[in-house]
Structures are given as C-alpha cells and as structure tokens.
Amino acid sequence: MSLDYCLSKARELPYIKGQSRHYSVVLDKRGRIVSEAANSYTKTSPRMAKAANKAGLPDKQCLHSEALALFRDKQRKGVKLIVARVSAHGKSMYSAPCPVCAILIQEHSHILSVEFSV
C-alpha cells in the first residue's frame, strides 16, 4: 500500500469549489489497510472539537480525513498514516497534517510514521 493508492482515491472524490480533496489511510504492520477516510465538511466530533480548541483553532472542527481515519481504527492496530491531497486538475499537492490533526496523531501513540503527498 502506498501514497499512489491514496492519490488515486483522492482523484475519485468529486471536486467541489472551495473544498480540498484529501484522502487518508491507516496501515497495520504488514501494510494492510486498517481504516480509510476522506474529508467531511458537514460532520464533526467531540474529539475533533477538543483537539481544535487545544490547537487554538476552534473554527477547524470539521472532520479531516486524517482524524476520521484515526477514529475508525478502533482496535488501534495501525502503525502508519498516509495522507494525500489533489488539486482540481488531479495533481498531487502538499498535504502535511494541520496543527489540529498533528495533536490527534500525537494522541494516537501507536502511529509510528506519517507519509503525505507533496
């Protein structure tokens, strides 16, 4: 499983002006997908709101793909997080986790590495 998989899944997402097309995958030790998710601009969670307030960004409460993928890893088997972002034309873009997602990644101590598109 690689960044190419995430990029292809991000390209499959419909383009909506003003919204980023992010896609994240959590992998286990053997490289198998444990969970995956795309950005949600209509949903939030108490955990996301708490992390946003902790980061000093209370307006960033929508569910980012990284956060949603981490939340879906209920058994905490994942060790690697891969994040991809594509432009309106399908080109790979910089997708390092924001400060809110960085806090969530640190809280999930089982995640040993993060890979993101550039």
Side-chain angles (χ1 to χ4, degrees):
M1 197 52 51
S2 68
L3 184 60
D4 292 333
Y5 173 79
C6 282
L7 287 168
S8 69
K9 294 297 274 186
R11 286 182 185 107
E12 292 174 8
L13 298 171
Y15 172 74
I16 299 171
K17 189 174 182 176
Q19 295 182 0
S20 295
R21 295 191 294 171
H22 281 257
Y23 199 82
S24 298
V25 172
V26 176
L27 304 176
D28 68 6
K29 293 177 189 175
R30 294 185 175 179
R32 294 178 296 192
I33 295 175
V34 175
S35 64
E36 53 189 307
N39 274 6
S40 173
Y41 291 93
T42 58
K43 296 180 182 178
T44 188
S45 78
R47 291 164 66 187
M48 190 71 181
K50 183 179 176 183
N53 287 328
K54 191 174 181 180
L57 301 166
D59 58 326
K60 293 223 175 209
Q61 293 186 15
C62 64
L63 279 173
H64 298 182
S65 64
E66 305 97 305
L68 193 52
L70 289 171
F71 297 160
R72 288 180 178 170
D73 181 12
K74 302 272 188 218
Q75 296 178 346
R76 293 184 172 239
K77 290 185 177 182
V79 295
K80 184 174 184 176
L81 174 67
I82 301 175
V83 185
R85 176 181 172 207
V86 295
S87 69
H89 304 292
K91 291 184 180 180
S92 175
M93 295 181 70
Y94 186 72
S95 66
C98 71
V100 178
C101 291
I103 288 172
L104 289 169
I105 293 167
Q106 289 174 349
E107 290 175 356
H108 287 78
S109 58
H110 60 285
I111 298 295
L112 303 176
S113 65
V114 178
E115 182 180 341
F116 54 89
S117 61
V118 184

